[in-house]
Amino acid sequence: MFYVVPTFIIVVAVLMAAVVIRRVLRMRRAWNSGLTAEARCLRTYTTTSGGSGDSSVRTSLHHVYEFVARDGRTVRFDEPHGPGTVIEGDYVTAFYSEGPQINATAHRPSPVRHGLALVAVLGFLGVVVVFGVGFMLSYSQVFEPFGDLFFGTESGHSGTDSGTVDGFPEDWEASIDSQ
């Protein structure tokens, strides 16, 4: 159990890092492509999370945009965390990248802000991974002498066994008789 839980936490942290990196790369690909289009806001809606017990409620504003790409395809995308000043029917500039799957965003390019956020998130997840590995290493070092007590060795004998049947040295009776 003291290895399974930290391993699970490490795996989740690494997967979260991969998702964050993928999202940032998709957004940068859209910004760096140089392709822009006029997108229309078709719909706005909010999502809420939390609020159970004493936790706070978090609300996120989403926008659904639609634009026509350079190759004539109509692209519709949903983007969370949009500005509250954009309402249905407004036109915004959409940045997008071409390809089989078009990556699009209506967020203004801000590579420094996204870079700092990426460093902060990856730093936090790195601390979680280092803590998990450190916990497992320290647990194995501290409880190594007791490991044989609870689980035995691979041969089935305890770590105090000296090779005799009852685990005592061969001359233990002679040392007791001489006293």
Side-chain angles (χ1 to χ4, degrees):
M1 181 168 122
F2 290 105
Y3 293 112
V4 173
V5 172
T7 302
F8 176 73
I9 292 171
I10 289 169
V11 167
V12 168
V14 169
L15 290 176
M16 286 176 62
V19 167
V20 168
I21 290 170
R22 184 173 171 244
R23 184 170 182 222
V24 167
L25 290 176
R26 281 183 38 218
M27 193 166 269
R28 287 204 176 175
R29 196 174 314 125
W31 287 334
N32 293 336
S33 71
L35 299 173
T36 61
E38 186 176 60
R40 184 168 189 228
C41 179
L42 301 177
R43 179 175 173 234
T44 62
Y45 65 96
T46 58
T47 57
T48 57
S49 61
S52 62
D54 290 336
S55 67
S56 63
V57 176
R58 291 173 300 282
T59 303
S60 177
L61 179 62
H62 293 253
H63 293 88
V64 178
Y65 297 106
E66 184 177 75
F67 67 93
V68 177
R70 185 168 68 171
D71 60 1
R73 288 187 285 176
T74 301
V75 178
R76 183 178 290 182
F77 66 98
D78 182 351
E79 190 164 56
H81 311 295
T85 56
V86 176
I87 58 173
E88 292 180 22
D90 284 352
Y91 287 92
V92 297
T93 301
F95 302 90
Y96 69 98
S97 64
E98 288 185 325
Q101 180 181 357
I102 293 179
N103 296 316
T105 182
H107 291 293
R108 292 273 179 222
S110 55
V112 173
R113 190 181 88 187
H114 277 82
L116 291 174
L118 178 65
V119 167
V121 169
L122 292 180
F124 173 74
L125 293 174
V127 168
V128 169
V129 169
V130 167
F131 178 78
V133 170
F135 176 82
M136 289 190 300
L137 288 175
S138 64
Y139 176 79
S140 68
Q141 293 296 318
V142 169
F143 291 102
E144 183 178 13
F146 301 111
D148 293 340
L149 177 68
F150 296 115
F151 302 111
T153 60
E154 291 179 8
S155 64
H157 300 288
S158 70
T160 59
D161 193 3
S162 65
T164 62
V165 175
D166 54 6
F168 291 104
E170 292 179 19
D171 60 346
W172 71 276
E173 291 178 331
S175 65
I176 293 177
D177 291 338
S178 66
Q179 293 177 352

